[in-house]
Amino acid sequence: MNKLTKEFQSGEVLKAQDLNSIKDKINELVEGSNTESGMTIDSSLSTSSTNPVQNKVISEALNKKVEKENGKGLSTNDFDNEYKSKVDNMSFGGVASTTEKGFFVVDADGKIAFKYDAEGFDVAELSLHFKSLLPLPSESGKVKLSQEDTAAGYLANKIISSDGSVIITLIDSKLDFSLKSFSNVPVLRYTKLLEINHIISYGQSLGEGDGASPIITSSAKYDNLIMFNQGVNSNQNTTSESEKYKTFSPHAEMQWGTKGESPAAGCAEQFCLCANLNQYKKILSSNASMGAMKINQLSKGSTYYARIITDITNACRMAKESGKSYNLLAVTWTQGEYDLVGGTSKDAYKSLLKQLRLDLINDLNVITGQNYSRLPFVMYQMTSTGTGGENRNIAHAMYELSIEEPCFYLATPIYMLEFNDGTGGWHIKNTSSKLLGSYYGYVLSEVIDNPVRKSIHPISSRIDGNVAYVKFHVPVGKLAFDTPSHIDTLGSITNHGFSIQALNESEMITAVELSGDDEIKFTCKSSPAGRVLRYGQKLNNASRGQFAGELHDTNTVTTIIAGEEFKLWNWCPIFDYQL
């Protein structure tokens, strides 16, 4: 047996040549076993053999080996934890992934269904599912998306399905993307949630919770809802400057004079619920709002803008000191009434709000070292009319920004909220203030998965004699009509809030009815071609004037505030639409 002796280091694996040598020696012994030694040789591998050939050693050595397959190496292209995570996260029958030059979508069978690279996508390579969704320009050839390419359903870097909904959007002309949920493809999270996720409330008195008394949120509903130790609004307290920004505390609203329940708590709670956050991802809320301010008084260079920068700077520092990652998740914008009274034009307001967001992004990039080019601004739509006139400039500015500009999102109009004086004044009741926040949180949870999320709005129309058919984008479910519960104190709504006026300003509509899940039929006295469809009827009993309507979708998300359940229907914002 000395012929088989070989020294091995602990943990060493037998190499192929070692096994071949052992095999040769065994064969020599087998051939001479009956004539020289008469030893018995096992006919099969065994881990219990005590025969002198030591079959046990050979068996254990072979058990350490991996069968080699042609075309595969044993020491390269390791399947590591990162790749395992990708496989584990393949859900809903498909997966989408980015590459250095673009992205691809894999169907339930593991085949590439849609691939976009530096040259665009090849029509011939699309799966049947994608071919059925897209209004394709041809049966073959490459299609590359660009800001200038507006033909055949490809609008401003968007791939739009035949029914008008956005399937894929490329952001900032880069090969980055988001996917809206469709058959066999999962929704991908567009915004990565870190350990400290900061939501800043900004605006004027409704953002502060002025008149929304008493407070409802006296303690944090969830463990991961936090604020600075001095409170949500760092200027509504008696904490000395040296003691501010020391620690994070559980989120609780605070009564401060006439300021009560701000939208901040409702926003944080609803986002946490809808986004299914775990306890390790914190939502930090802070509020820099100040009442009776026009937008230019809240812009960069103002005392109030500096409050935002102070909150961000300290939040970033405190997160870093505690070993946590930091992200400014969004800004909620609750402002507009003072600009309405002050006569700010629609275009001027849009320009000022876009500049405010851009200034904040530039400052954020410097403070955090991160890229905030896609920072969401989640807005309400004010529906007051100042002193009771017909001015809709600020409301239309907000609506148009949400339709035209990426990263501006209209959470809800406020005609369905209840005002605290019962006559449609500036301020809303405490339950309505928290409900407004719930809309902010719900829409923000939608935005992190679908950055092209839009509110209800008209997308096309056709005229047939005296009848106009208008199709709408519907966020969830189908269109429906309901009267907001408190409207009877402000006035009655006719035609569900719609109006089409003739040249002499007389009303043309004789009937309004749903003609489909996403379509409304308007019967008129004469052809409405070329006329303006207006949504949002003025309620004359409101002290400062309110525009309101009855159109919403059938969203099933709800929230409970002070023991009362509220449906978070997506209410239609007020708008003007050319037929």
Side-chain angles (χ1 to χ4, degrees):
M1 293 302 295
N2 290 336
K3 296 179 181 179
L4 289 173
T5 300
K6 175 174 170 56
E7 295 295 330
F8 289 95
Q9 298 297 322
S10 177
E12 183 177 353
V13 179
L14 287 170
K15 298 179 181 178
Q17 55 265 40
D18 296 321
L19 293 174
N20 288 334
S21 177
I22 292 172
K23 176 183 175 184
D24 292 341
K25 298 303 180 183
I26 290 175
N27 287 336
E28 291 179 16
L29 290 171
V30 170
E31 290 174 2
S33 61
N34 293 325
T35 58
E36 296 180 16
S37 62
M39 72 174 64
T40 300
I41 304 298
D42 291 336
S43 60
S44 61
L45 292 175
S46 170
T47 58
S48 60
S49 172
T50 57
N51 287 332
V53 178
Q54 291 297 298
N55 197 337
K56 179 179 179 181
V57 176
I58 299 173
S59 179
E60 289 178 346
L62 289 173
N63 286 339
K64 297 178 183 178
K65 304 299 291 184
V66 178
E67 291 291 336
K68 186 180 185 304
E69 295 183 30
N70 292 334
K72 294 185 178 181
L74 297 178
S75 301
T76 57
N77 297 323
D78 290 336
F79 187 77
D80 58 20
N81 289 333
E82 180 182 356
Y83 283 95
K84 180 180 183 299
S85 176
K86 290 181 179 181
V87 172
D88 291 341
N89 287 322
M90 289 183 181
S91 58
F92 304 100
V95 69
S97 181
T98 56
T99 69
E100 289 185 3
K101 296 182 179 180
F103 66 88
F104 61 88
V105 178
V106 177
D107 64 19
D109 297 323
K111 298 178 181 179
I112 293 180
F114 186 103
K115 180 180 179 181
Y116 193 100
D117 56 28
E119 297 179 353
F121 68 87
D122 194 323
V123 174
E125 294 178 354
L126 294 179
S127 70
L128 292 177
H129 177 69
F130 274 95
K131 286 183 178 180
S132 70
L133 285 175
L134 303 176
L136 298 170
S138 64
E139 290 298 321
S140 62
K142 285 277 192 176
V143 177
K144 188 172 183 180
L145 306 182
S146 68
Q147 291 289 348
E148 293 75 28
D149 188 357
T150 58
Y154 305 100
L155 306 175
N157 284 10
K158 296 180 179 67
I159 300 177
I160 300 175
S161 70
S162 301
D163 65 3
S165 61
V166 176
I167 299 175
I168 298 175
T169 299
L170 303 184
I171 308 297
D172 299 333
S173 300
K174 299 176 183 177
L175 295 179
D176 197 357
F177 72 100
S178 65
L179 290 174
K180 185 176 181 180
S181 179
F182 51 88
S183 177
N184 289 332
V185 179
V187 175
L188 300 183
R189 180 137 288 175
Y190 171 73
T191 301
K192 184 178 181 181
L193 296 176
L194 302 182
E195 292 168 292
I196 304 293
N197 301 280
H198 194 175
I199 302 175
I200 291 180
S201 300
Y202 200 35
Q204 52 182 97
S205 55
L206 269 71
E208 290 183 290
D210 200 353
S213 300
I215 62 169
I216 299 171
T217 310
S218 58
S219 61
K221 185 174 183 178
Y222 305 117
D223 291 340
N224 51 352
L225 304 183
I226 60 176
M227 63 181 185
F228 295 117
N229 61 285
Q230 68 267 19
V232 175
N233 193 321
S234 61
N235 293 279
Q236 293 179 3
N237 56 74
T238 57
T239 307
S240 65
E241 291 298 323
S242 62
E243 293 302 313
K244 292 180 179 179
Y245 304 108
K246 292 288 188 178
T247 60
F248 294 125
S249 303
H251 185 142
E253 295 288 304
M254 184 176 68
Q255 191 73 41
W256 184 256
T258 61
K259 280 79 172 177
E261 184 79 17
S262 79
C267 176
E269 288 178 11
Q270 197 66 37
F271 178 81
C272 184
L273 180 64
C274 291
N276 295 316
L277 294 193
N278 62 47
Q279 60 182 325
Y280 304 107
K281 295 187 184 299
K282 306 296 185 182
I283 300 299
L284 169 65
S285 299
S286 68
N287 196 330
S289 300
M290 174 56 67
M293 292 290 140
K294 295 177 67 176
I295 188 171
N296 63 343
Q297 295 173 296
L298 298 171
S299 298
K300 184 168 183 175
S302 70
T303 300
Y304 313 108
Y305 181 90
R307 291 180 184 177
I308 291 183
I309 301 304
T310 300
D311 281 355
I312 294 170
T313 302
N314 282 284
C316 191
R317 171 188 58 80
M318 292 167 67
K320 185 176 181 180
E321 289 174 353
S322 61
K324 306 292 186 182
S325 55
Y326 170 82
N327 175 42
L328 179 60
L329 191 59
V331 174
T332 62
W333 179 250
T334 314
Q335 193 274 344
E337 287 82 0
Y338 246 60
D339 283 277
L340 179 70
V341 174
T344 304
S345 70
K346 180 184 71 174
D347 290 341
Y349 190 86
K350 289 167 66 176
S351 177
L352 286 167
L353 190 52
K354 286 193 290 184
Q355 187 60 50
L356 171 61
R357 178 179 174 273
L358 181 60
D359 287 337
L360 187 55
I361 287 170
N362 290 335
D363 287 335
L364 268 168
N365 292 346
V366 173
I367 294 169
T368 66
Q370 301 169 12
N371 183 358
Y372 280 93
S373 61
R374 300 168 191 164
L375 176 68
F377 259 54
V378 182
M379 312 174 289
Y380 77 157
Q381 184 192 45
M382 61 153 292
T383 53
S384 302
T385 63
T387 56
E390 299 291 337
N391 191 338
R392 297 157 63 104
N393 285 343
I394 306 304
H396 283 177
M398 293 171 166
Y399 170 76
E400 290 177 12
L401 277 175
S402 72
I403 300 299
E404 300 166 354
E405 297 290 332
C407 304
F408 282 97
Y409 304 96
L410 204 160
T412 184
I414 60 172
Y415 58 74
M416 26 63 69
L417 301 180
E418 190 171 3
F419 291 81
N420 62 10
D421 61 0
T423 57
W426 291 132
H427 299 143
I428 54 181
K429 290 188 175 182
N430 57 354
T431 51
S432 284
S433 184
K434 187 161 188 177
L435 180 57
L436 174 59
S438 296
Y439 271 99
Y440 286 154
Y442 162 67
V443 169
L444 182 56
S445 73
E446 293 280 294
V447 165
I448 65 171
D449 288 337
N450 176 23
V452 294
R453 192 259 185 207
K454 302 292 182 184
S455 56
I456 295 178
H457 65 278
I459 56 177
S460 65
S461 63
R462 60 186 175 89
I463 306 295
D464 184 5
N466 293 350
V467 178
Y469 296 89
V470 180
K471 274 195 172 292
F472 286 78
H473 168 75
V474 185
V476 182
K478 58 185 180 180
L479 296 175
F481 292 128
D482 281 283
T483 302
S485 59
H486 67 282
I487 285 295
D488 57 350
T489 65
L490 304 179
S492 60
I493 297 175
T494 58
N495 292 327
H496 300 297
F498 288 98
S499 175
I500 302 175
Q501 292 188 348
L503 291 175
N504 63 3
E505 298 186 355
S506 63
E507 181 57 56
M508 298 179 65
I509 295 177
T510 60
V512 178
E513 57 187 308
L514 296 172
S515 53
D517 290 348
D518 62 350
E519 186 179 76
I520 300 178
K521 175 184 177 182
F522 299 92
T523 304
C524 303
K525 297 175 182 178
S526 59
S527 174
R531 307 309 300 162
V532 173
L533 173 66
R534 170 166 285 197
Y535 177 74
Q537 180 181 331
K538 182 181 174 184
L539 301 178
N540 293 321
N541 292 342
S543 61
R544 287 190 172 90
Q546 285 288 326
F547 292 109
E550 299 175 335
L551 181 63
H552 61 83
D553 70 4
T554 53
N555 185 22
T556 59
V557 176
T558 62
T559 189
I560 296 177
I561 300 173
E564 182 179 358
E565 184 178 64
F566 295 88
K567 296 178 179 178
L568 294 184
W569 287 334
N570 291 295
W571 290 86
C572 184
I574 65 175
F575 64 82
D576 286 356
Y577 179 73
Q578 184 81 41
L579 295 173

